[in-house]
Amino acid sequence: MPLTLRVDQLYSRRGNLLNRVQSAGQTLLDNLRDAAGRVIKALTWGNIRGFLVGAVLAQIPSMLWSLTGLWSVFTNAAIELYYFDWNIPDDNLDRMAQQRWNSFGGIAGGTVGSAIGYFACGIVPATSLMAFDERLAAHVLREVGEEAWEEVSFQFTFALRMAVRNMFRQTAGWLYKGARRWLKQPGNPVARAIFGNRLEAVQQKWGEAEGQAWSFAQAVDEQVERIPSQFWQNFTEEVIEEAIDSCIEAGYVLLSSVEGYYAAQKAAQLLIAEETKVVEIIPNGANDSEAIVLAGPESEIRGQIPAVLAHHQLIESRDVGQLVGQPFDDYVRARPFEGFRLQFALYSKPAPPYAGTERDRLVRVAVQVSDVDRTKIDWERLILCCGGRNGYLWGRFRAHAVLTNNRPLTVYGGTPAEAEGRLKAFLTLTNSEIRTISVTEEKREGSRLKNPKMYKETTRVYPGHLTIINRERLETFDRGQRSLDGNYFDKKARIDLWRETRPADFEDTIRELLRRSAL
């Protein structure tokens, strides 16, 4: 009894599974049928005709509706007439026309085959994806459709050009044969006026199978070959060939310049008529005040945005056009030292861009600390030396100290206590101690009274950036920076102090500076 129940359950489950498989298969067939119906509905003769007409109209303007296209048609026709055999028999003309159409069969077959291949192996499989994912099918159809459009329209246009060219040649040959038969009729007054006394000979030999070929090119070559001097033969031949080639090329250049001029005038008119747009670009999301504003026609702004971003990336975190003054004695006859040196830059604005106006003058403060202890280069310590995130009051009081390493350290402050306090804060970064210190006040007299920019008004300055310099002494004398005490090489790195958080590469930058150079 238990075994019978298990067998019944097994058959029941198998039946349910088969029903589910059949239901899923039927659903898939219905979806495929619907997708195929959509394709068949879309591929009506009207759509196909629209595709073909669109492909033709997209290519014809460049062939006929432009000055260079018309010049190309004219020069090709002139070359055909120049090399055409005017004594060719009618049978040869018909045979050449038949050969051209036979060759066109291969071109037409290639075009049809390309269309069938893209449709059967591209459009249909992409359309069948609608049964599974309509968005995926739309994406694939768009990609395949664009490629199919470019390839098929190009081949179809080329085939159309060849067909039109063959029709023109065949029509011209048919007209030529008819005109020749009419001129060869006995008693034709037009033929008598053209050929004169040579009419009978021309009527007998013109277009006959045993007749000799004749063309303008052949006639010119015969006249050149009759020149007795080989030098003048070569000269005349090259003159004719180069004159023809240069004339064709000059025509293309001339007409292309005309088209370019009118195209530029039309583009300028469109730009004038186009609505002016204003775009604000924020290259650095952490600093909204560094925004760049562009204004102008939308088409022009679209082209300028990548260039603006590239220039910003090029000059970001770099001082462009700023010169840091240094005494001549320290530069040329400096008593160089090996080790770390810090150059602090503080500004009267808390974040870039560091630019002033007529009402709000930008104040830039530079503090240089030498003989730095490498273990004291810490992010928090650097910010505290500058007065913290809110900076400190800078002004006319000058704190000047001479250190035990015979180097000076100078800091300005808004009050005597502020100047001395900032000097001692920066001093915590060095291995040196104070030998002498003095705090003085710059009076607003003399030149400082006449020139307000020379007087240091009390201003709050904020941490801007820090340049760390690691100077190494070189054993060679053909590299590095020269001085009376030897050659030195400076490894530099810049760190932005205006940011709220420590840069992610802060430790890596310090570690790279500690590494000795290969020079």
Side-chain angles (χ1 to χ4, degrees), residues 121-325:
C121 300
I123 303 297
V124 173
T127 306
S128 64
L129 293 175
M130 289 185 179
F132 305 98
D133 191 338
E134 292 186 358
R135 289 183 296 180
L136 174 62
H139 173 73
V140 175
L141 278 173
R142 183 171 61 254
E143 296 294 331
V144 176
E146 290 178 357
E147 185 68 24
W149 172 268
E150 293 180 2
E151 185 67 23
V152 176
S153 63
F154 173 78
Q155 294 190 10
F156 181 79
T157 305
F158 177 74
L160 178 64
R161 288 182 178 179
M162 294 302 298
V164 172
R165 183 178 299 178
N166 290 345
M167 291 177 59
F168 274 114
R169 287 181 173 177
Q170 188 169 356
T171 303
W174 176 75
L175 293 174
Y176 176 69
K177 290 189 299 181
R180 183 165 58 184
R181 286 194 298 267
W182 177 69
L183 290 174
K184 291 177 65 175
Q185 291 178 359
N188 191 315
V190 178
R192 174 68 63 181
I194 296 175
F195 299 106
N197 298 329
R198 298 185 297 111
L199 177 61
E200 288 74 11
V202 169
Q203 289 179 343
Q204 292 179 1
K205 298 182 180 180
W206 192 13
E208 298 298 328
E210 66 276 4
Q212 187 177 2
W214 187 90
S215 64
F216 289 108
Q218 182 179 356
V220 172
D221 291 340
E222 290 177 355
Q223 293 297 327
V224 172
E225 291 177 356
R226 292 177 182 176
I227 299 176
S229 173
Q230 185 66 34
F231 170 82
W232 290 110
Q233 283 188 14
N234 297 336
F235 175 82
T236 306
E237 183 178 356
E238 289 298 325
V239 166
I240 295 173
E241 291 182 359
E242 291 298 328
I244 294 175
D245 294 341
S246 300
C247 179
I248 295 175
E249 184 176 356
Y252 278 113
V253 174
L254 174 65
L255 298 177
S256 178
S257 301
V258 174
E259 289 181 343
Y261 174 78
Y262 282 111
Q265 294 295 323
K266 185 177 181 180
Q269 294 177 358
L270 292 176
L271 289 177
I272 294 174
E274 191 174 353
E275 184 180 359
T276 302
K277 300 288 185 179
V278 179
V279 178
E280 184 179 17
I281 305 172
I282 303 178
N284 189 353
N287 183 18
D288 295 341
S289 61
E290 206 172 11
I292 302 173
V293 179
L294 297 179
E298 183 177 356
S299 57
E300 289 291 321
I301 292 178
R302 289 180 180 272
Q304 293 295 328
I305 290 176
V308 170
L309 294 176
H311 285 104
H312 179 272
Q313 186 177 7
L314 181 64
I315 66 175
E316 184 181 12
S317 299
R318 293 173 175 86
D319 290 330
V320 180
Q322 292 183 352
L323 300 177
V324 180

Side-chain angles (χ1 to χ4, degrees), residues 83-103:
Y83 289 98
F84 179 71
D85 182 9
W86 295 92
N87 200 29
I88 185 172
D90 293 349
D91 295 339
N92 291 350
L93 276 175
D94 297 337
R95 191 179 304 109
M96 292 174 60
Q98 185 63 38
Q99 291 176 356
R100 286 194 294 267
W101 284 113
N102 292 339
S103 301

Side-chain angles (χ1 to χ4, degrees), residues 338-349:
E338 295 186 54
F340 274 85
R341 182 175 59 196
L342 305 181
Q343 292 180 350
F344 289 87
L346 300 94
Y347 298 89
S348 56
K349 290 188 176 182

Side-chain angles (χ1 to χ4, degrees), residues 371-436:
D371 196 14
V372 176
D373 187 353
R374 302 177 182 180
T375 61
K376 295 181 181 179
I377 302 179
D378 179 73
W379 173 259
E380 300 296 338
R381 185 188 296 270
L382 295 175
I383 298 298
L384 290 175
C385 290
C386 297
R389 186 59 56 190
N390 293 325
Y392 72 96
L393 290 177
W394 172 86
R396 64 185 184 276
F397 294 95
R398 177 177 182 266
H400 180 79
V402 177
L403 308 181
T404 53
N405 60 0
N406 294 325
R407 296 276 177 180
L409 178 60
T410 303
V411 180
Y412 285 86
T415 63
E418 184 70 30
E420 185 177 354
R422 286 303 99 214
L423 185 144
K424 292 182 178 179
F426 285 114
L427 188 62
T428 60
L429 299 174
T430 71
N431 292 319
S432 301
E433 297 179 357
I434 296 177
R435 178 174 295 173
T436 60

Side-chain angles (χ1 to χ4, degrees), residues 42-52:
L43 294 177
T44 59
W45 167 243
N47 291 337
I48 296 176
R49 181 176 57 188
F51 171 82
L52 297 179

